[in-house]
Amino acid sequence: MSDFRQSQNEAHPNKTNTLMTAIILLLILFVTIQIWFLFGALNNALQENLNFAITTSVGSVIFAVGSFWLLRYLPDPIKRRKKK
């Protein structure tokens, strides 16, 4: 039985490109939400609203962990075969 990485490397390039595009779009979304959370956390920390600041900081950390977890599903680069 093969594992996920081996099956992904043997997949058709179109499927690999679709998977990579979806992962990159999700990462862009996660980073955008993370920046929004950090901006809200800093603004509310300056206004001494610490409950909201802590909540958004924790949310930002969760999105960071999700982004790092999602990076492991990026496909390996397609290697060109050497011609003999």
Side-chain angles (χ1 to χ4, degrees):
M1 183 171 260
S2 63
D3 61 351
F4 174 76
R5 180 62 65 186
Q6 181 181 1
S7 299
Q8 188 181 43
N9 290 337
E10 294 172 358
H12 192 272
N14 286 341
K15 290 181 182 178
T16 304
N17 289 340
T18 303
L19 178 66
M20 189 166 44
T21 303
I23 290 172
I24 289 172
L25 287 175
L26 272 174
L27 287 171
I28 290 170
L29 177 70
F30 283 2
V31 169
T32 304
I33 293 172
Q34 214 176 346
I35 291 170
W36 182 45
F37 276 1
L38 285 173
F39 180 74
L42 290 174
N43 278 340
N44 281 288
L46 289 173
Q47 295 174 357
E48 298 181 6
N49 186 0
L50 291 179
N51 289 334
F52 185 80
I54 291 172
T55 305
T56 53
S57 297
V58 169
S60 180
V61 168
I62 290 172
F63 273 107
V65 169
S67 295
F68 289 130
W69 177 77
L70 198 58
L71 282 176
R72 67 182 278 234
Y73 289 107
L74 279 174
D76 289 337
I78 298 173
K79 298 174 183 148
R80 298 185 189 270
R81 295 183 183 169
K82 295 180 183 178
K83 294 182 181 179
K84 293 181 181 179

